[in-house]
Amino acid sequence: MTAIKAKTKTNASVKARRTASGQQWVTGIILALGGFLVSIPFIWMILSAFKPEMEVMQIPPTFLPHEFTLENFTNLFENMNFTVYLRNTIIVVLCSFAGLFLNAMAGYAFAKYQFKGREKLFYLVLATMMIPGQVTMIPVYLILNQLHLTNTMAGIVLPGLVGAFSIFLFRQFMSTIPDELLEAARLDGASEFRVFIQIILPISKPILAVQGILTFIAGWNSFLWPLIIANDEKLYTLSVGLSLLKGQYGGNFALQMAGSTFMVVPIVIIFMLFQKHIIEGYTISGMK
Amino acid sequence: MKAINTKTPYLFIAPALLLLGLFSLFPIVVALVISFTDISLEGLGDWSMIHFVGLENYIQVFKDPIFMKSLFNTLFYVVIGVPLVIVCSLAIALLINFGKSRIFRAFRVIFYMPSITNVVAVAVVWSYLYNPQLGLFNYVLNWLHLPPVPWLTDPNMSKVSLIALAVWRGIGVNMIIFLAALQGIPKTYYEAAQLDGATNWKQLTKITLPLLRYAIFFVSITTMIGWLQFFEEPLVMTKGGPLDSTTSVALFIYRNGFQLSNFGYAAAGSFILFIAIIIITLLQFRLQKKEVDY
């Protein structure tokens, strides 16, 4: 069809189209170069992770590993405590999903119920978004210390369990669900909690997917709070373990690159699989 | 219609509100109170060791040369970093939006990637790239017959090196926001402009950029707040050094609070940061309003 259109048009428009396609090529090339530059740290990290320690120290550096090895990775799990760190990180991620559920509940109540103080409480929730982490960091530590929760998993997980932004997004999404649907379920005798579980949550799948992925990423990457609260290596997450590794094995870059690769690659895979949802989630949340 | 139990909504919001209250709202009060005391590690065990010291912490912190240095560093990060992030992410968003083919969607993913990856992993990798002897960057400079750069060891250069890393990480999110805003501009504006024979450059400066004003404002506010709290990169990569040249206010607070256990002193520092963030944000809103008037 485009071919026919092109034929019927004048020479000038063909020319315009050619310059347009030329511009497209230039744009593509600039972006490809930029994209390559942006990816260099990742490429270098992954390639170095599979080199033996000797090869990483070599000058001039090799691009592809001459001698491909998995030694660095086995080293992380056999001689460092990466198995423990991995387990802790997974616990943190699972707990943050419980937090997501609490956020969804709160978002639902703010969206679908009329109750006294609803507006004021919601503004209070939004206000917490503006408080910088540095201000609450010390008091939260002191509060947890008073509750005897420092150096426990609960202390690591509890402060980050719910988030105002997540509640806000759930509320935005759930306020679009028609009331008739809820009335019908109530007439059938469903309890309020059942309405939430069996009707609201299944309808909210898109927003749950977006927030689920973001929750996973945040949990997997959690660093500062575990660093502050955990004194015992048994409670370290992968990020904390990795920063410890950097301190202790500062010279062994092959090992550090393996640790970094182990942290980054799962996120990259998840991101690749779900990138459409994540980017859409950001566009919804970013502009409203 | 069956009447809904009036308690139900409160049950739904209770867990989230309790947690937010305990770990977000209440701590503000605690921070303010302890910033007027000399609470330290001893005070934690024995409350009788805590004394009210009035504004002493605030006065001391302004006399602290390291705090002043961290204040200066943080301003440096904001002044250099924020415009860089905005310009880079806007330029990339414009280029991606300009592309018609599906391949351009892949670029979204590539440029977004750094912002979701773990900050520690990223800092570890960049420390390797910045390594004076073994690092890739100095190797490439050497290959181009340029002198090596003391990336993290020189007090002036170290700030720039950290900014480079943070810009790399910061582009993704802002680029996505710009892309969303770009897609919201009606195509008819451009069609009309093309009929009038407007060049691409004219279309960019007369249509796109003015219509992106709100997105640019939003991005600059959030980016600036983010950079004022600049923290993890210097913590992992340089620990604030060399000679405190990369210590940010946030790192100063962390160090005083958790390494030196001067909780009251650190809380005073954190309140100063908080107030600075509020003032700068309000100032930006004021400037934005003035622009609209014209």
Side-chain angles (χ1 to χ4, degrees):
Chain A
M1 208 170 99
T2 44
I4 300 165
K5 261 190 190 164
K7 255 183 205 169
T8 52
K9 284 200 175 154
T10 56
N11 255 349
S13 83
V14 173
K15 211 174 174 183
R17 187 165 300 190
R18 264 193 206 139
T19 50
S21 112
Q23 283 167 343
Q24 291 283 309
W25 272 99
V26 173
T27 319
I29 290 166
I30 295 172
L31 282 171
L33 279 174
F36 174 71
L37 282 177
V38 165
S39 317
I40 283 178
F42 292 127
I43 298 170
W44 204 242
M45 170 189 79
I46 293 172
L47 291 175
S48 306
F50 293 105
K51 293 174 189 171
E53 200 187 330
M54 284 299 291
E55 197 180 327
V56 166
M57 308 295 230
Q58 206 173 298
I59 299 170
T62 51
F63 181 65
L64 290 170
H66 273 304
E67 200 186 316
F68 183 86
T69 176
L70 289 172
E71 188 197 344
N72 298 315
F73 289 95
T74 53
N75 207 349
L76 286 178
F77 285 91
E78 280 168 10
N79 302 328
M80 321 284 152
N81 279 329
F82 264 60
T83 326
V84 177
Y85 307 155
L86 178 62
R87 199 201 59 204
N88 291 335
T89 307
I90 289 171
I91 294 174
V92 170
V93 168
L94 291 178
C95 290
S96 58
F97 277 107
L100 191 63
F101 183 76
L102 297 182
N103 289 337
M105 270 171 50
Y108 168 59
F110 279 121
K112 282 291 159 205
Y113 289 104
Q114 297 294 334
F115 56 92
K116 227 179 142 196
R118 184 175 84 153
E119 302 293 310
K120 276 181 191 146
L121 287 173
F122 189 63
Y123 282 126
L124 209 62
V125 168
L126 290 186
T128 62
M129 281 205 282
M130 290 158 203
I131 302 167
Q134 282 84 16
V135 181
T136 52
M137 192 159 72
I138 291 156
V140 170
Y141 176 83
L142 298 178
I143 292 168
L144 287 173
N145 190 57
Q146 218 54 46
L147 298 170
H148 300 289
L149 287 177
T150 46
N151 218 15
T152 62
M153 217 10 136
I156 294 177
V157 169
L158 275 177
L161 212 51
V162 297
F165 192 54
S166 168
I167 296 174
F168 173 71
L169 281 190
F170 275 122
R171 191 198 80 137
Q172 294 294 89
F173 186 90
M174 287 169 177
S175 53
T176 61
I177 298 171
D179 285 327
E180 292 79 12
L181 212 60
L182 309 180
E183 293 307 327
R186 279 176 193 140
L187 282 179
D188 287 346
S191 71
E192 292 302 314
F193 196 68
R194 228 177 118 187
V195 171
F196 173 67
I197 300 278
Q198 294 192 327
I199 301 196
I200 299 295
L201 285 187
I203 295 175
S204 309
K205 252 188 211 147
I207 192 79
L208 275 170
V210 172
Q211 293 213 40
I213 301 155
L214 293 176
T215 303
F216 177 87
I217 294 177
W220 181 264
N221 285 342
S222 61
F223 167 60
L224 181 62
W225 200 245
L227 177 76
I228 290 173
I229 287 293
N231 299 317
D232 194 339
E233 211 181 319
K234 283 197 192 93
L235 289 171
Y236 283 1
T237 56
L238 280 169
S239 313
V240 180
L242 188 61
S243 67
L244 190 77
L245 189 74
K246 184 179 183 287
Q248 289 179 344
Y249 296 84
N252 191 340
F253 285 111
L255 193 64
Q256 292 182 40
M257 292 308 116
S260 307
T261 306
F262 186 71
M263 285 237 63
V264 167
V265 167
I267 292 293
V268 169
I269 291 171
I270 289 200
F271 178 64
M272 293 278 195
L273 290 176
F274 298 104
Q275 51 99 1
K276 217 182 130 221
H277 301 283
I278 300 179
I279 289 177
E280 273 165 14
Y282 260 105
T283 39
I284 303 167
S285 56
M287 293 328 291
K288 268 187 185 163
Chain B
M1 199 191 106
K2 195 173 72 178
I4 301 165
N5 189 336
T6 48
K7 274 183 197 150
T8 313
Y10 295 107
L11 291 177
F12 272 105
I13 59 169
L17 280 191
L18 279 176
L19 285 166
L20 274 182
L22 184 60
F23 295 117
S24 210
L25 293 169
F26 180 52
I28 285 286
V29 183
V30 176
L32 189 63
V33 171
I34 62 169
S35 72
F36 297 114
T37 69
D38 63 351
I39 179 170
S40 64
L41 211 53
E42 296 102 61
L44 274 190
D46 181 4
W47 284 23
S48 64
M49 300 285 287
I50 306 170
H51 305 102
F52 179 79
V53 294
L55 287 171
E56 190 58 27
N57 285 328
Y58 289 91
I59 296 164
Q60 283 306 319
V61 90
F62 276 111
K63 284 186 189 159
D64 189 336
I66 299 178
F67 181 75
M68 293 321 275
K69 206 162 194 179
S70 71
L71 214 56
F72 167 78
N73 291 338
T74 306
L75 271 179
F76 186 86
Y77 291 137
V78 169
V79 170
I80 309 285
V82 175
L84 258 179
V85 170
I86 294 172
V87 168
C88 290
S89 46
L90 181 59
I92 292 166
L94 285 170
L95 285 173
I96 291 179
N97 193 53
F98 185 68
K100 302 279 186 292
S101 131
R102 281 182 68 90
I103 304 167
F104 285 85
R105 287 177 161 242
F107 288 121
R108 264 191 348 189
V109 179
I110 292 173
F111 286 101
Y112 185 58
M113 201 92 82
S115 56
I116 49 154
T117 45
N118 183 283
V119 64
V120 183
V122 158
V124 166
V125 173
W126 279 70
S127 302
Y128 177 40
L129 294 170
Y130 279 149
N131 187 288
Q133 281 91 40
L134 306 166
L136 182 68
F137 291 163
N138 272 356
Y139 178 73
V140 171
L141 287 178
N142 182 34
W143 187 66
L144 296 167
H145 297 289
L146 291 166
V149 173
W151 298 105
L152 295 174
T153 44
D154 178 78
N156 293 320
M157 196 62 212
S158 56
K159 274 194 270 288
V160 179
S161 303
L162 285 188
I163 288 176
L165 158 65
V167 168
W168 176 76
R169 281 198 80 211
I171 286 173
V173 177
N174 297 327
M175 172 199 78
I176 298 293
I177 293 168
F178 281 133
L179 271 175
L182 282 169
Q183 270 146 25
I185 299 176
K187 298 267 180 299
T188 46
Y189 291 178
Y190 295 105
E191 280 158 15
Q194 274 158 4
L195 281 180
D196 290 342
T199 58
N200 279 339
W201 179 251
K202 268 250 167 76
Q203 290 175 38
L204 175 72
T205 50
K206 298 278 185 243
I207 303 175
T208 313
L209 290 183
L211 287 173
L212 279 185
R213 214 174 46 212
Y214 287 103
I216 294 172
F217 179 61
F218 176 81
V219 165
S220 55
I221 291 250
T222 51
T223 312
M224 187 169 282
I225 293 175
W227 280 79
L228 282 168
Q229 299 176 51
F230 195 55
F231 175 59
E232 271 122 338
E233 286 87 349
L235 174 72
V236 183
M237 286 190 75
T238 58
K239 297 197 167 57
L243 301 170
D244 284 312
S245 62
T246 57
T247 305
S248 61
V249 175
L251 188 56
F252 175 88
I253 297 165
Y254 171 81
R255 210 190 275 153
N256 274 287
F258 295 106
Q259 285 169 349
L260 308 171
S261 301
N262 293 327
F263 300 119
Y265 190 60
S270 76
F271 251 91
I272 293 167
L273 178 68
F274 192 18
I275 291 164
I277 289 176
I278 292 172
I279 290 174
I280 291 177
T281 310
L282 288 178
L283 220 68
Q284 272 208 314
F285 269 100
R286 188 55 75 72
L287 286 175
Q288 170 75 4
K289 269 208 188 115
K290 260 197 189 140
E291 254 176 52
V292 175
D293 286 343
Y294 279 108

